[in-house]
Amino acid sequence: KAGVTQTPRYLIKTRGQQVTLSCSPISGHRSVSWYQQTPGQGLQFLFEYFSETQRNKGNFPGRFSGRQFSNSRSEMNVSTLELGDSALYLCASNPGTSGARTQYFGPGTRLLVL
Amino acid sequence: GENVEQHPSTLSVQEGDSAVIKCTYSDSASNYFPWYKQELGKGPQLIIDIRSNVGEKKDQRIAVTLNKTAKHFSLHITETQPEDSAVYFCAASIASGTYKYIFGTGTRLKVLA
């Protein structure tokens, strides 16, 4: 089975722009979570989607949003980019079945905001 | 609020020695504790996990122990090898219909040959 894939892998944007990142979960997985990883704050939970519904959200401003499609693929969007948004954005998938607790991470999208 | 503390932040060991990384969680409702290894340029990879109804779990050179009373859990790596060098993260999760993880701050392990 193919793992979690994320596109693009690298991205450079300027302040004020917006960006959309994409995640394709492992085939059959219905839950997709997003995390932001920075040297200062570590891995922080952004949000989780299950069957196209946002099930949980972390403490990030409304500039961060996401969605999930019927095929479980997910996108996250960051509007009005700030320098502090520079980070590695990780997507993780989970089967979504009862008792399945493990999240499988993709390689991440490295975003640099100039 | 929810918090996971992880120590040490860096750890250097000689090849063949053991390494121990410790985590403490704050939310007593946490009941699933995975450990991830992250190599440069890659996403975190699960290496071992433990559920709250188990005190210890082993997988070859890797073991995890859990003390629910003290809200501590630890990763033990024996007979370390240079390829064990990476950043290790602990996490805690609550079974409440969501798969949100609270991660520790990471431990950079360096195994010296």
Side-chain angles (χ1 to χ4, degrees):
Chain A
K1 249 184 192 178
V4 178
T5 57
Q6 293 187 243
T7 56
R9 291 292 311 277
Y10 304 92
L11 209 44
I12 300 176
K13 292 284 186 180
T14 56
R15 275 180 301 174
Q17 287 187 310
Q18 75 156 16
V19 66
T20 299
L21 312 181
S22 181
C23 170
S24 291
I26 292 170
S27 178
H29 285 197
R30 296 165 63 195
S31 167
V32 173
S33 298
W34 289 88
Y35 292 82
Q36 181 195 64
Q37 185 175 24
T38 59
Q41 299 297 318
L43 279 148
Q44 291 193 293
F45 173 78
L46 279 157
F47 26 65
E48 184 218 344
Y49 286 87
F50 178 80
S51 292
E52 303 179 65
T53 301
Q54 188 181 85
R55 194 155 62 171
N56 204 341
K57 190 177 190 308
N59 296 324
F60 279 82
R63 300 184 298 106
F64 292 81
S65 63
R67 59 179 175 167
Q68 187 180 33
F69 302 95
S70 58
N71 62 358
S72 293
R73 190 178 69 85
S74 177
E75 290 181 346
M76 67 162 280
N77 184 78
V78 188
S79 62
T80 322
L81 284 165
E82 301 178 358
L83 296 179
D85 296 334
S86 294
L88 180 68
Y89 289 88
L90 292 159
C91 166
S93 78
N94 174 284
T97 53
S98 175
R101 304 296 300 278
T102 303
Q103 294 197 52
Y104 300 88
F105 283 84
T109 293
R110 186 163 295 282
L111 171 66
L112 177 62
V113 181
L114 302 175
Chain B
E2 305 157 319
N3 185 47
V4 176
E5 292 186 5
Q6 182 173 347
H7 298 282
S9 57
T10 59
L11 180 59
S12 291
V13 299
Q14 290 291 329
E15 182 179 359
D17 286 351
S18 296
V20 180
I21 302 170
K22 298 182 178 182
C23 290
T24 303
Y25 59 98
S26 62
D27 194 333
S28 55
S30 299
N31 59 4
Y32 176 69
F33 308 92
W35 285 88
Y36 285 84
K37 174 183 181 182
Q38 187 174 27
E39 295 174 312
L40 203 59
K42 297 183 178 180
Q45 299 296 309
L46 179 77
I47 56 171
I48 197 167
D49 58 7
I50 191 167
R51 295 176 187 249
S52 60
N53 58 349
V54 175
E56 183 174 359
K57 184 177 178 180
K58 251 185 186 178
D59 182 4
Q60 299 182 351
R61 296 186 296 109
I62 294 172
V64 56
T65 58
L66 171 65
N67 181 332
K68 280 195 301 182
T69 304
K71 292 193 263 185
H72 289 168
F73 58 114
S74 300
L75 177 72
H76 305 254
I77 305 174
T78 59
E79 300 171 23
T80 53
Q81 300 165 5
E83 52 265 39
D84 294 329
S85 296
V87 180
Y88 291 80
F89 291 95
C90 63
S93 173
I94 302 166
S96 61
T98 181
Y99 297 98
K100 173 184 175 182
Y101 285 0
I102 304 299
F103 279 93
T105 48
T107 295
R108 184 172 298 279
L109 174 64
K110 185 180 282 189
V111 180
L112 308 170

